[in-house]
Amino acid sequence: MALRWGIVSAGLISSDFTTALSTLPHSEHQVVAVAARDLSRAKEFARKYNIPKAYGSYEELAKDPNVEVAYIGCQHPQHKAAVLQCLAGGKAVLCEKPMGVNATEVHEMVAEARSRGLFLMEAIWTRFFPAMETLRSVLAQRTLGDLRVARAELGMELSKFARATDLAQAGGALLDLGIYGAQFLSMVFGGQKPEKILAMGSIYETGVDDTVTVLLQYPGGLHGSFTCSITTWLSNTASVNGTKGMAQVHHFWSPTKLVVNNEEKEFPLHVVPNNKYNYENGEGMIYEAKHVRECLRQGLKESPVIPLAESELLADIIEEVRKVIGVTFPQDKR
């Protein structure tokens, strides 16, 4: 039986997710509705992707009985309201990262999903790429020996995009890019809570975080660090070092290549001719979509790969870093 998707927001990331879904078997995934805050945009999106229903509000989609799972693709300041509406409508929810602007929002969404007995997952697509699944196997098999250090860097020139520097829209490096580094370290170190968090950051002229470096100490003397920036291109590489070697992941937020002890393995994406994506390696969104279907068909209420407790932990870590470097969003005062 096909999983019936409703797409919340008609923006760029929703376009990529819908395009990726179209490459999967129709017998397994179908988009049955789309919603935007502007009905004309929703209708245009529906025409482009041959979606039967278009709504001019997220609430209308949340009430559509034909929608089984909602993909939340709006900007993160709108995530909480959209997620809560869809949960209230009895939908399973896949919410783009970061799940919320702050930890309070994430804890509220998680509590609501649990109280209603509904599936909720943060769409950290990185974890479902075959290269990253292989890295987890490498770590589990102790190929690298006893782990010691993990690092991640992700920096791009995003300041030219108004939303990335808008304090009211919770812009900045941490929520847009730092989430990738934080989740990588958390994945490597088994979702443990850091014992100590140190951070330093520079602030953009609008008040958002510009470039941030974070050092985390995990139980057992393990060290992790990540740097993120919206004004500087960085190496955009992640690595793990142990007593028996090192693994490196280039382009680690959507990886197609893994290097373990100098041996490189490639994991090419399935590229469909004429399919266009707004974001690099958008084809890789199929992996998280397939995972959601597997979870729901098994009756799971959360993902074993990105459990809700880990989404809460990531939100707590990023919020702690914001406090250290002195970045406050309007949403923090609500």
Side-chain angles (χ1 to χ4, degrees), residues 52-271:
K53 288 280 184 68
Y55 295 109
S57 73
Y58 302 158
E59 187 176 12
E60 288 177 279
L61 183 143
K63 292 179 178 178
D64 185 336
N66 196 36
V67 172
E68 188 176 356
V69 55
Y71 169 78
I72 310 297
C74 49
Q75 302 295 349
H76 47 267
Q78 286 82 51
H79 282 180
K80 188 182 87 165
V83 167
L84 295 180
Q85 283 177 337
C86 289
L87 291 174
K91 315 303 181 198
V93 176
L94 173 64
C95 179
E96 263 308 330
K97 57 83 199 148
M99 188 180 287
V101 169
N102 53 41
T104 298
E105 290 189 353
V106 174
H107 293 314
E108 185 176 343
M109 287 182 269
V110 168
E112 186 69 12
R114 286 177 172 157
S115 70
R116 292 181 179 274
L118 293 169
F119 180 89
L120 173 63
M121 185 182 108
E122 187 173 12
I124 300 177
W125 69 324
T126 304
R127 293 216 177 165
F128 302 98
F129 277 73
M132 207 57 77
E133 290 185 331
T134 302
L135 175 58
R136 287 201 294 276
S137 295
V138 166
L139 298 177
Q141 293 163 12
R142 296 177 53 80
T143 303
L144 304 181
D146 296 329
L147 299 185
R148 290 290 184 263
V149 176
R151 303 181 181 89
E153 281 191 353
L154 184 52
M156 303 176 183
E157 174 48 74
L158 298 181
S159 59
K160 57 188 175 183
F161 300 107
R163 189 200 61 77
T165 60
D166 187 349
L167 190 69
Q169 287 295 302
L174 278 167
L175 288 180
D176 267 349
L177 303 177
I179 180 70
Y180 284 111
Q183 71 80 29
F184 179 79
L185 300 183
S186 188
M187 181 193 79
V188 168
F189 295 134
Q192 297 183 88
K193 182 178 180 180
E195 294 177 334
K196 185 182 294 186
I197 300 174
L198 303 175
M200 62 184 69
S202 57
I203 309 301
Y204 197 74
E205 60 190 25
T206 58
V208 303
D209 49 297
D210 177 324
T211 301
V212 184
T213 295
V214 182
L215 178 64
L216 302 104
Q217 180 174 302
Y218 287 88
L222 305 176
H223 294 168
S225 66
F226 70 88
T227 298
C228 53
S229 178
I230 57 168
T231 59
T232 306
W233 282 91
L234 300 176
S235 69
N236 298 342
T237 297
S239 62
V240 188
N241 295 72
T243 54
K244 294 182 179 179
M246 176 177 70
Q248 285 183 305
V249 194
H250 299 282
H251 202 284
F252 77 95
W253 67 97
S254 56
T256 59
K257 191 180 298 183
L258 175 66
V259 182
V260 179
N261 293 335
N262 296 318
E263 289 189 16
E264 183 177 296
K265 185 175 182 180
E266 295 197 22
F267 302 83
L269 297 170
H270 176 61
V271 178

Side-chain angles (χ1 to χ4, degrees), residues 5-24 26 29-36 40-54 71 272 274-279 282 285:
W5 291 89
I7 307 297
V8 174
S9 177
L12 299 181
I13 195 74
S14 292
S15 295
D16 282 3
F17 189 74
T18 304
T19 299
L21 285 177
S22 72
T23 69
L24 295 172
H26 194 66
H29 297 269
Q30 295 175 16
V31 179
V32 298
V34 60
S40 63
R41 287 194 68 214
K43 287 182 175 179
E44 180 184 349
F45 192 98
R47 282 193 297 270
K48 181 177 180 180
Y49 295 104
N50 196 28
I51 301 170
K53 288 280 184 68
Y71 169 78
V272 176
N274 301 321
N275 272 1
K276 295 182 179 179
Y277 292 89
N278 298 293
Y279 299 102
M285 298 185 98

